[in-house]
Amino acid sequence: QLQVVESGGGLVQAGGSLRLSCVVSGRASRPYAMGWFRQAPGKEREFVAAISWSGGSTYYADSVKGRFTISRTNVKKTVYLQMNNLKPEDTAVFYCAAGPGVRTPLQQDEYDYWGQGTQVTVSS
């Protein structure tokens, strides 16, 4: 069982930056990929970024490519999402998820463990 806790959300002006953190605790039976997803008001939750266990493979939604960077440190069991040049349309609750045995990192149902979410609000 893994527990996932996000932090780092907040209010920022358009063009600003935030760094989200996600700490994983517990014991995994196998290596796990990590993903960030977000849900804006009135919309479905969508994929943002994902990273493999080794960190050697990263994946991004087209809407955030070039602005967001996902990274991880397995020693600290932490995953980060550095968000630069934020836009009002990035406003959402951001969720971190862990997925042992993920084959398709962009698919939400591949992830077994989810955090409670952290609010990111970007003002224009």
Side-chain angles (χ1 to χ4, degrees):
Q1 286 280 8
L2 298 177
Q3 292 79 45
V4 178
V5 179
E6 310 95 336
S7 63
L11 173 64
V12 64
Q13 288 188 334
S17 298
L18 281 175
R19 187 175 82 157
L20 304 183
S21 299
C22 173
V23 178
V24 181
S25 60
R27 219 174 154 172
S29 58
R30 49 184 170 164
Y32 48 90
M34 296 294 300
W36 285 98
F37 296 81
R38 67 185 180 186
Q39 187 168 20
K43 295 187 177 180
E44 294 187 352
R45 190 163 58 187
E46 64 177 6
F47 169 77
V48 175
I51 188 167
S52 62
W53 166 258
S54 68
S57 297
T58 56
Y59 311 84
Y60 296 95
D62 288 342
S63 59
V64 307
K65 278 180 184 175
R67 301 188 298 123
F68 291 10
T69 303
I70 188 171
S71 61
R72 71 187 293 169
T73 166
N74 289 336
V75 172
K76 295 183 179 180
K77 292 188 175 183
T78 303
V79 176
Y80 302 100
L81 184 68
Q82 177 66 43
M83 306 186 294
N84 298 328
N85 190 22
L86 282 160
K87 303 176 181 180
E89 52 263 42
D90 293 317
T91 295
V93 177
F94 281 70
Y95 297 90
C96 181
V102 166
R103 295 178 180 269
T104 312
L106 280 64
Q107 297 296 326
Q108 297 185 45
D109 56 10
E110 296 259 348
Y111 294 84
D112 297 317
Y113 305 99
W114 291 80
Q116 294 299 308
T118 185
Q119 177 71 46
V120 171
T121 302
V122 185
S123 63
S124 57

